[in-house]
Amino acid sequence: MADVAVMGDAPAAAPAKKPERTVYAAGGGRKFAFSLVFLLLLPFFVSLPPMLFWRISQGHWHGTLGLVVLAAGFTFIMFLVVIELMHSLMTRIELGDTSVKMTLPAGRGPTPIVRYRSHDIPYDQIKAVETRREIYGGSVAPVLLQGARLILKDDSTVKLGYVSEANSDPCFPYPEIAQKLAERAGLQLEHKGNVRRSLQKKYFGLKKEFLAEAAGEVPEAEIDALNKSHRKWVMRLIGLLVGLVVLGIALDIIFPPSSGLPPALTSITKLVMPDSTTASTTATPAKKK
């Protein structure tokens, strides 16, 4: 009886601690940096179309092709800056007590575009949280991305995003976010393995699902071999560049420049065509006589 009384007087179990509110968003430094870069480049970018129009309308074709190439490259750079600026200003993930509020890119593919969509998803409406490693390219320049998505109880999907294994984003660590979402929803994080993806299928709409059937499963051993091969190719490229620099310096030391050509080009010209250079120098005094 005494034992029963003691057990009855035992204190009740402490209530489960609610998870803390966690917010993932770009910091003020990143927002300021991309805004500053965009504002600095914008006047130069806006001035390119009038310059091209004036040169073409006036018939000034000398140097116009180079200006067109410059404008195309500048446009591509501005496009990337706008994408990163929008991503830093718009993307936000807030893990609350009972739901997750997210503003994420609405476009497909690893690169966020300018369309964004907001979600407010209760944890009890999440059916599964999945991650997967996607591999693009070959041994020369492989790209390994970690992707994460939510599957809701109505079988709809919400893509969280991608993060590169070589250069992870500290503001948006999507695998970590997926793990925390699974814990708050009372689920196990499901890893769907490693698959090789095609950029053409990814960006041209041949595969509509985020985690659709891909080119095939890739074992961990093959990924390790892929990384080793990539490191070898990178070291070869570095060695080639260092060798070219050393060769250029050596040519400039052995053959000092004596014309208006760049030093390396002058050295190569003397090395390849020594007779013509000597003949031209000896023929000049004869004409003066």
Side-chain angles (χ1 to χ4, degrees):
M1 295 295 293
D3 294 338
V4 175
V6 171
M7 293 178 62
D9 295 335
K17 184 180 179 181
K18 291 185 178 181
E20 297 181 356
R21 174 176 170 270
T22 306
V23 177
Y24 294 91
R30 177 186 290 194
K31 295 177 182 179
F32 175 77
F34 280 113
S35 300
L36 181 63
V37 170
F38 176 76
L39 292 177
L40 289 176
L41 295 180
L42 185 60
F44 300 98
F45 179 70
V46 173
S47 65
L48 285 175
M51 291 171 60
L52 284 173
F53 176 77
W54 181 84
R55 294 181 70 90
I56 295 174
S57 62
Q58 298 297 322
H60 294 281
W61 301 105
H62 181 70
T64 302
L65 181 60
L67 188 60
V68 170
V69 175
L70 175 63
F74 210 149
T75 302
F76 179 71
I77 293 174
M78 286 296 293
F79 177 69
L80 295 180
V81 171
V82 169
I83 287 177
E84 291 298 332
L85 176 61
M86 292 292 296
H87 184 59
S88 61
L89 294 177
M90 298 292 295
T91 304
R92 177 184 172 89
I93 299 176
E94 178 182 344
L95 305 181
D97 295 336
T98 58
S99 66
V100 53
K101 298 179 181 179
M102 303 180 294
T103 301
L104 298 171
R108 296 179 63 242
T111 304
I113 313 297
V114 294
R115 295 188 300 111
Y116 284 77
R117 183 178 301 170
S118 297
H119 308 270
D120 189 355
I121 304 173
Y123 295 130
D124 57 6
Q125 295 300 314
I126 299 176
K127 181 180 178 180
V129 183
E130 298 178 349
T131 61
R132 190 175 72 173
R133 177 188 285 164
E134 298 186 2
I135 304 167
Y136 298 86
S139 59
V140 178
V143 178
L144 277 67
L145 301 177
Q146 284 277 359
R149 74 166 183 176
L150 305 179
I151 300 179
L152 306 183
K153 291 186 176 179
D154 59 357
D155 291 331
S156 61
T157 60
V158 178
K159 184 191 71 174
L160 293 179
Y162 292 85
V163 63
S164 173
E165 292 190 0
N167 186 20
S168 61
D169 189 348
C171 295
F172 300 101
Y174 291 111
E176 176 186 327
I177 296 173
Q179 179 64 44
K180 290 186 177 181
L181 278 172
E183 293 175 357
R184 298 190 182 213
L187 303 170
Q188 290 290 333
L189 181 64
E190 301 179 14
H191 182 62
K192 293 299 182 179
N194 311 313
V195 294
R196 190 182 299 276
R197 298 299 301 268
S198 169
L199 289 177
Q200 292 82 2
K201 293 180 179 180
K202 189 75 174 180
Y203 290 102
F204 291 99
L206 299 181
K207 294 291 184 182
K208 296 183 179 180
E209 295 83 5
F210 169 63
L211 292 177
E213 291 295 328
E217 292 289 334
V218 181
E220 291 290 339
E222 185 175 344
I223 293 177
D224 294 338
L226 194 65
N227 288 328
K228 290 180 181 179
S229 177
H230 173 59
R231 285 192 289 269
K232 289 180 180 179
W233 275 102
V234 171
M235 294 305 297
R236 290 171 186 170
L237 290 176
I238 293 175
L240 178 61
L241 292 176
V242 171
L244 290 176
V245 171
V246 172
L247 178 62
I249 295 174
L251 288 175
D252 290 340
I253 294 175
I254 298 173
F255 303 100
S258 59
S259 67
L261 295 175
L265 185 58
T266 304
S267 303
I268 294 174
T269 303
K270 287 184 176 182
L271 184 63
V272 175
M273 298 182 297
D275 296 335
S276 60
T277 307
T278 306
S280 61
T281 54
T282 55
T284 304
K287 291 182 180 179
K288 290 182 179 180
K289 291 180 180 180

